[in-house]
């Protein structure tokens, strides 16, 4: 048996392979993206994988595959569950022919998300069994277990991870791929089962109620709900990665670790509670377990000790436990008093060579209201641009622009949306703008990839996740076909061209105008460009180039004697040669060096 | 034996995550239990990046640690070394690459980047052992600035009694096949930096 160090995401990909999955779908979103990427890279001979246009589409694809009789996995980040839940919930009613596991990667502490939501509630609202792994080994094993449960109980199963499972690595023992893999069979013409006509659904509702009881019964003896006995003074009930933190902070306590967080094994919890003096529920985010256990009439402590928001790291767990006198004060590590003063912040910025730089330089300069969307371009809300004024959810920018127009305010507004996001949820909103003849400029920032999450494909690209060539849907023609009368596609790296087109679109009065600044993301660019440099003799230290917000622009020691300001330079090691700074330099001091680094 | 806790700090794009993968895998190959945790996503775009890595002869539970608990910090950039200093155990060791990548808050003139001397003095004031290395110059000598991360791993390897074969095997299994030779060379040059210094 081979031993490897896998992230939770790599382990789930491996789990899908070992469990005999045939179809894997999703939409990229941190921290879930690497699951499908690893499936497409490592198991492409055995599993069909795709990035669907959005999570709901992915869920419907999964339903069709599962009805056809093949095991299917769907991946999403926490907010994607909101998008796919519409389709997931009908699958609970219809059931399946072969297993479906939906992986939600939550983001406690909000490392890369617009909100912090505890997706364990989806188990309760949807009446869906939910598994929660504590490390990479369990992440792998629970895919196979989820498939078995899905088929045994005729329901989709949710596998919930979080940032610290998805992007942590721990040791995994690899197994073999399942021997008897299901193939697609003749599509079932079982209308009563698969058509959610309300007449049929009413009958299924009773089946779901019984299913939950059966699942809870199964959970009573399931090995994944395990007790480690220690000192009986303190009994801890926990799940997922937090149960690992609990073991570290309370090495002597008795711990009931719930590998299945819904439905709960009531008898097992009662037996555990009876055998210890005090029960404490340790869980990240909401009192999901605590409230259910209290509803059983069992006295426990939980959120009176531990905060109901943010990551519950081992260090905070320890602090909060000491404050509640669960641990003696001596347990707190002596933190050295290191005075490092106030350091310069290092916010994320557009990469050097990013095609979005010119657009945000101009939006900042023109000071127009900008409704924004989710993707790299949301970094335009940060200095030096401060130019993306809203950001709510995928595809929301076009609808918000619509609202700005409908409100009839005095200003001309624009919205920004990326190419992948446009296909995710922008299309219906644009159709709505066209239909209602609303004014505003939709800037579709086309960098020819889904950049923020790691350069995944989308319907506007000519390759699929599995590397197959495919038809590229042309955004310009698509907008024209949807009835937009003003569509301008421009080279994103030509600042003047972008500026002229933007002004032209802002002046447009006959319904929405679409501007498509197009340029490859540096991570998918095929031809590296030469680095630029500053001629210090010509540089007057005006600092205009810093308005492009490029990390390759630096200040040098030489000073302009008239102003006393330091002149500018370029870090040639990281410059990717986009030329935007040279175009906005008023004195022509920035030139291309002709230097190219040896290929990596 | 207690856990050995590492922190790798740097700037998005420097290859810190690959370096931390190597560090964790070396631990596993050397017979330790190993876990690691990365912060990705927004941090990829020129922001601060950190990874925690833990080795142990016993069981590792949490994949990351709190303030004051890091035994070894491997810093890819001067300012980022200083930023993560509160994670250090005063008895610990820091290897810091003297490369400077001023953030936009500095280049736009809002704040100043502390001098190398200031940073190193502060690190040395609080932590027992601090090694300064110039991994960028070494990488540029190999004509590839992207090998900085493996040069730094070469330097870090000198701190442990683990055969270099293990390190080189892990590196060969981590980087793309066509870059193996270059990266092994970078590793060896990095190790020399510590042998000389």
């Amino acid at each position: 048996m081979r031993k490897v160090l896998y992230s939770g995401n790599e382990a789930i990909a491996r789990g899908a392979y070992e469990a005999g999955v045939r179809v894997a779908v999703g939409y990229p979103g941190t921290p879930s993206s690497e699951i499908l990427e690893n499936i497409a890279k490592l198991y492409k001979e055995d599993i069909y994988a795709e990035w669907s246009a959005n999570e709901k589409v992915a869920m419907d694809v999964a339903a069709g595959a599962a009805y056809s009789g093949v095991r299917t996995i769907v991946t999403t980040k926490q907010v994607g569950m909101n998008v796919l839940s519409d389709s997931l919930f009908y699958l609970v009613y219809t059931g399946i022919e072969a297993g479906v596991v939906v992986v939600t990667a939550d983001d406690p502490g909000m490392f890369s998300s617009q909100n912090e939501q505890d997706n364990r509630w989806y188990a309760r609202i949807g009446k869906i069994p939910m598994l929660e792994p504590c490390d990479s080994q369990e992440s792998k094993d629970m895919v196979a277990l989820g498939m078995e449960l899905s088929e045994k109980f005729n329901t989709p199963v949710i596998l919930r991870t979080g940032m610290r499972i998805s992007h942590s690595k721990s040791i995994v023992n690899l197994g073999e791929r399942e021997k008897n893999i299901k193939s697609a069979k003749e599509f079932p013409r079982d209308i009563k089962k698969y058509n959610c006509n309300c007449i049929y659904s009413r009958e299924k509702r009773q089946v779901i109620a019984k299913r939950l009881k059966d699942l809870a019964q199964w959970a009573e003896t399931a090995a994944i709900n395990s007790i480690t006995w220690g000192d009986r003074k303190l009994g801890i009930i926990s799940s997922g990665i937090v149960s690992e933190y609990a073991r570290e902070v309370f090495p002597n306590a008795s711990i009931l670790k719930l590998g299945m967080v819904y439905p709960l094994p009531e008898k097992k919890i009662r037996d555990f509670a009876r055998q210890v003096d005090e029960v404490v529920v340790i869980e990240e985010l909401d009192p999901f377990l605590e409230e259910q256990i209290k509803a059983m009439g069992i006295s426990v402590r939980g959120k009176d000790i531990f905060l109901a928001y943010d990551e519950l790291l081992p260090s905070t767990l320890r602090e909060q436990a000491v404050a509640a006198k669960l641990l003696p004060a001596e347990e707190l590590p002596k933190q050295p008093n290191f005075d490092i003063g106030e350091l310069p912040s290092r916010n994320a910025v557009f990469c050097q060579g990013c095609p979005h730089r010119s657009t945000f330089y101009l939006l900042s300069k023109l000071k127009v209201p900008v409704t924004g969307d989710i993707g790299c371009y949301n970094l335009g809300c940060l200095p030096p641009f401060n130019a993306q004024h809203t950001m709510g959810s995928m595809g929301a920018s076009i609808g918000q622009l619509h609202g700005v127009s409908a409100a009839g305010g005095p200003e001309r507004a624009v919205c920004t949306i990326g190419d992948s996001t446009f296909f995710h949820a922008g299309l219906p909103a644009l159709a709505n703008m066209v239909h209602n003849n609303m004014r505003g400029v939709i800037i579709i920032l086309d960098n020819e990839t889904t950049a923020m999450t790691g350069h995944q494909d989308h319907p506007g690209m000519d390759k699929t996740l599995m590397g197959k060539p495919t038809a590229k849907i042309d955004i310009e023609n698509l907008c024209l076909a949807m009835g937009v009368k003003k569509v301008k596609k421009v080279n994103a790296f030509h600042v003047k061209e972008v500026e002229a087109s933007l002004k032209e679109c802002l002046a447009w009065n006959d319904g929405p105008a679409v501007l498509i600044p197009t340029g490859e993301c540096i991570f998918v660019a095929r031809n590296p460009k030469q680095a630029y440099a500053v001629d210090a003799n010509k540089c007057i230290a005006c600092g205009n180039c810093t308005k492009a917000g490029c990390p390759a622009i630096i200040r040098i020691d030489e000073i302009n004697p008239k102003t006393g300001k330091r002149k500018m330079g370029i870090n040639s090691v990281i410059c990717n040669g986009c030329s935007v700074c040279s175009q906005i330099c008023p004195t022509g001091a920035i030139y291309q060096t002709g230097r190219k680094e040896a290929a990596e | 034996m207690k856990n050995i806790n590492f922190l790798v700090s740097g700037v998005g794009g420097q290859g810190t995550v690959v370096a931390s993968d190597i560090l964790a895998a070396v631990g596993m190959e050397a017979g330790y239990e190993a876990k690691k945790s990365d912060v990705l996503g927004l941090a990829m775009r020129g922001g601060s990046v950190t990874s925690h890595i833990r080795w142990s002869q016993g069981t590792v539970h949490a994949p990351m640690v709190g303030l004051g608990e890091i035994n070894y910090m491997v810093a890819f950039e001067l300012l980022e070394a200083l930023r993560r200093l509160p994670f250090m155990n005063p008895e610990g060791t820091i290897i810091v690459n003297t490369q400077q990548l001023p953030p936009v808050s500095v280049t736009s003139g809002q704040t100043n980047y502390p001098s190398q001397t200031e940073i190193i003095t502060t690190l040395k004031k609080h932590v027992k052992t601090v090694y300064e290395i110039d991994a960028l110059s070494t990488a540029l000598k190999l004509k590839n600035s992207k090998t900085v991360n493996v040069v730094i791993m070469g330097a870090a390897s000198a701190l442990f009694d683990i055969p270099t074969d293990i390190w080189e095997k892990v590196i060969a299994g981590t980087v793309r096949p066509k870059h193996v030779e270059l990266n092994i060379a970078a590793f060896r040059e990095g190790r020399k930096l510590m042998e000389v210094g």
Side-chain angles (χ1 to χ4, degrees):
Chain A
M1 196 161 52
R2 199 155 67 89
K3 195 174 77 165
V4 292
L5 199 55
Y6 268 179
S7 68
N9 284 344
E10 289 171 304
I12 290 169
R14 177 71 191 188
Y17 168 78
E18 290 182 10
V21 165
R22 296 287 286 259
V23 172
V25 289
Y27 183 81
T30 309
S32 69
S33 311
E34 297 85 359
I35 302 171
L36 285 192
E37 285 175 351
N38 278 286
I39 288 176
K41 188 171 77 182
L42 301 172
Y43 314 116
K44 64 168 84 163
E45 304 303 321
D46 300 292
I47 304 175
Y48 167 79
E50 73 166 37
W51 290 122
S52 306
N54 66 39
E55 297 85 355
K56 176 174 162 61
V57 171
M59 196 63 232
D60 293 331
V61 172
Y67 294 167
S68 300
V70 300
R71 286 186 166 184
T72 304
I73 191 167
V74 185
T75 73
T76 178
K77 70 177 295 174
Q78 100 277 24
V79 288
M81 278 292 273
N82 307 339
V83 180
L84 70 74
S85 61
D86 193 30
S87 295
L88 173 61
F89 287 6
Y90 74 66
L91 205 64
V92 179
Y93 279 67
T94 65
I96 40 89
E97 298 288 318
V100 174
V101 170
V102 177
V103 182
T104 170
D106 290 6
D107 191 8
M110 290 181 280
F111 289 86
S112 53
S113 306
Q114 65 268 43
N115 70 359
E116 182 181 64
Q117 65 185 44
D118 190 331
N119 276 5
R120 291 179 298 174
W121 297 109
Y122 272 107
R124 284 188 83 176
I125 191 175
K127 302 177 170 46
I128 306 165
M130 178 179 272
L131 305 175
E132 195 171 26
C134 72
D135 60 12
S136 297
Q137 180 72 50
E138 281 195 356
S139 296
K140 179 183 80 89
D141 295 343
M142 282 185 175
V143 178
L145 177 64
M147 289 296 167
E148 284 166 30
L149 286 176
S150 174
E151 288 167 5
K152 184 176 160 79
F153 294 95
N154 194 24
T155 173
V157 170
I158 306 175
L159 179 63
R160 180 198 186 229
T161 71
M163 202 283 275
R164 295 290 179 189
I165 291 286
S166 308
H167 288 168
S168 290
K169 291 195 173 186
S170 58
I171 295 172
V172 173
N173 293 302
L174 301 184
E176 300 294 323
R177 183 157 162 92
E178 165 104 32
K179 290 279 179 307
N180 303 310
I181 293 168
K182 299 182 180 200
S183 309
K185 53 189 184 185
E186 195 172 291
F187 194 82
R189 270 77 159 179
D190 190 344
I191 294 173
K192 277 193 175 174
K193 181 164 173 10
Y194 290 115
N195 183 317
C196 283
N197 179 326
C198 56
I199 305 164
Y200 309 137
S201 289
R202 257 179 234 128
E203 292 172 20
K204 289 173 200 149
R205 184 65 187 80
Q206 300 173 35
V207 175
I208 293 167
K210 173 158 190 316
R211 178 194 294 159
L212 282 178
K213 279 192 178 161
D214 293 345
L215 276 160
Q217 193 57 44
W218 178 87
E220 293 289 355
T221 53
I224 51 169
N225 295 327
S226 62
I227 296 172
T228 312
W229 289 112
D231 188 341
R232 308 247 170 164
K233 276 197 203 98
L234 179 64
I236 292 169
I237 300 177
S238 190
S239 67
I241 188 119
V242 181
S243 66
E244 290 292 302
Y245 304 165
R247 283 184 207 282
E248 179 150 327
V249 175
F250 298 93
N252 304 318
S254 295
I255 297 183
L256 166 55
K257 192 188 89 163
L258 297 166
M260 184 188 242
V261 292
Y262 190 80
L264 292 178
E266 183 169 342
K267 187 172 171 298
K268 188 162 209 151
I269 291 169
R270 280 187 195 288
D271 287 348
F272 178 74
R274 206 175 295 128
Q275 295 181 61
V276 292
D277 296 347
E278 185 183 14
V279 184
V280 173
V281 178
I282 303 182
E283 58 188 326
E284 210 166 45
L285 305 185
D286 297 338
F288 178 79
L289 300 173
E290 181 183 344
E291 286 181 1
Q292 291 182 79
I293 294 168
K294 279 181 173 164
M296 295 171 190
I298 300 169
S299 169
V300 299
R301 297 183 71 193
K303 290 299 164 192
D304 60 320
I305 304 171
F306 306 107
L307 286 180
Y309 54 86
D310 204 356
E311 271 197 293
L312 187 58
L313 292 170
S315 49
T316 40
L317 178 53
R318 189 173 271 120
E319 280 165 26
Q320 291 165 15
V322 167
K325 301 202 174 2
L326 280 181
L327 285 174
E330 307 88 80
E331 288 281 321
L332 282 183
K334 283 191 195 73
Q335 281 175 15
N337 182 23
F338 288 172
D339 178 21
I340 57 170
E342 197 163 318
L343 302 186
S345 63
R346 193 185 291 277
N347 290 326
V349 286
F350 292 133
C351 303
Q352 45 291 359
C354 175
H356 302 334
R357 179 162 277 112
S358 54
T359 302
F360 279 93
Y361 166 75
L362 292 167
L363 289 174
S364 179
K365 186 173 136 184
L366 298 174
K367 297 188 169 56
V368 284
V370 181
T371 60
D373 222 294
I374 296 185
C376 296
Y377 42 96
N378 190 42
L379 296 172
C381 71
L382 298 173
F385 306 113
N386 307 308
Q388 181 160 314
H389 304 115
T390 72
M391 190 282 272
S393 65
M394 294 284 286
S397 64
I398 299 181
Q400 290 178 348
L401 177 67
H402 188 125
V404 173
S405 177
E411 286 181 293
R412 294 288 170 111
V414 312
C415 81
T416 51
I417 187 165
D419 41 348
S420 186
T421 315
F422 181 62
F423 286 108
H424 180 284
L427 286 167
L430 180 59
N432 192 42
M433 275 193 87
V434 172
H435 177 69
N436 292 296
N437 202 33
M438 286 296 162
R439 211 179 61 192
V441 184
I442 297 103
I443 304 179
I444 303 173
L445 295 150
D446 185 2
N447 61 6
E448 305 187 20
T449 188
T450 317
M452 188 93 211
T453 44
H455 325 109
Q456 293 85 358
D457 65 278
H458 60 67
M461 289 166 69
D462 60 7
K463 266 209 178 117
T464 68
L465 171 59
M466 303 191 77
K468 299 238 159 58
T470 185
K472 172 178 167 148
I473 299 177
D474 185 88
I475 295 174
E476 185 182 12
N477 284 325
L478 178 60
C479 294
L480 287 167
M482 287 174 79
V484 181
K485 292 175 197 144
K486 182 86 182 168
V487 182
K488 292 282 286 186
K489 183 171 169 169
V490 290
N491 181 336
F493 295 110
H494 285 188
V495 181
K496 279 194 178 135
E497 201 184 315
V498 179
E499 183 165 18
S501 304
L502 178 55
K503 285 179 176 164
E504 198 180 316
C505 287
L506 280 167
W508 185 255
N509 277 322
D510 191 6
V514 171
L515 176 66
I516 314 168
T518 306
E520 284 177 319
C521 169
I522 53 162
F523 291 104
V524 298
R526 276 150 259 199
N527 296 308
K529 296 169 186 162
Q530 292 161 358
Y532 277 71
V534 181
D535 180 346
N537 292 323
K538 290 188 188 165
C539 177
I540 55 169
C542 68
N544 201 53
C545 52
T546 65
K547 291 180 185 164
C550 179
I553 304 267
I554 49 176
R555 286 189 188 264
I556 60 172
D557 290 337
E558 202 172 319
I559 282 170
N560 176 348
K562 284 186 193 156
T563 61
K565 286 185 177 163
R566 284 164 71 188
K567 294 188 178 185
M568 309 309 298
I570 288 176
N571 180 347
S572 66
V573 172
I574 63 171
C575 171
N576 282 317
C578 75
S579 83
V580 168
C581 60
S582 76
Q583 294 175 54
I584 65 177
C585 171
T587 65
I590 304 177
Y591 65 98
Q592 204 163 16
T593 58
R595 189 196 65 84
K596 256 189 191 172
E597 192 171 43
E600 60 167 299
Chain B
M1 191 200 72
K2 282 174 74 175
N3 293 317
I4 303 176
N5 300 328
F6 296 90
L7 187 146
V8 176
S9 66
V11 177
Q14 282 193 295
T16 58
V17 173
V18 171
S20 67
D21 278 344
I22 291 169
L23 205 43
V26 164
M28 180 181 76
E29 295 293 340
Y32 295 105
E33 163 92 17
K35 280 190 179 179
K36 67 164 291 202
S37 179
D38 301 320
V39 176
L40 302 172
L42 264 180
M44 284 175 73
R45 314 294 161 204
S48 301
V49 181
T50 56
S51 297
H52 290 199
I53 300 106
R54 308 183 81 186
W55 296 353
S56 177
Q57 281 171 332
T59 307
V60 183
H61 290 298
M64 63 285 190
V65 293
L67 300 178
E69 296 182 44
I70 293 290
N71 309 108
Y72 296 92
M73 172 154 67
V74 182
F76 279 54
E77 203 267 355
L78 274 169
L79 181 62
E80 294 313 304
L82 187 55
R83 199 187 303 282
R84 304 302 165 195
L85 181 60
F87 278 94
M88 286 303 298
N89 181 309
E91 296 299 309
T93 301
I94 296 174
I95 292 186
V96 55
N97 176 27
T98 53
Q99 192 177 348
Q100 299 188 12
L101 290 167
V104 169
S105 60
V106 169
T107 54
S108 60
Q110 296 160 32
T111 53
N112 289 315
Y113 194 103
S115 75
Q116 181 167 338
T117 319
E118 281 174 288
I119 292 176
I120 299 293
T121 307
T122 310
L123 298 182
K124 284 187 171 164
K125 189 175 130 198
H126 295 294
V127 174
K128 195 171 168 189
T129 314
V130 178
Y131 296 101
E132 293 169 71
I133 57 166
D134 181 358
L136 181 61
S137 297
T138 306
L140 290 175
K141 256 186 256 162
L142 293 164
K143 299 205 172 9
N144 195 314
S145 62
K146 292 199 172 72
T147 59
V148 161
N149 58 350
V150 178
V151 171
I152 295 171
M153 284 300 102
S157 76
L159 300 176
F160 299 96
D161 190 18
I162 292 174
T164 51
D165 289 3
I166 289 184
W167 288 86
E168 294 187 4
K169 182 187 144 197
V170 167
I171 290 166
T174 305
V175 302
R176 286 189 202 163
K178 64 173 177 179
H179 302 146
V180 170
E181 213 172 300
L182 173 70
N183 279 283
I184 297 291
F187 172 80
R188 290 179 183 169
E189 289 300 316
R191 196 167 166 108
K192 274 191 217 159
L193 291 177
M194 294 291 277
E195 283 161 3
V196 175

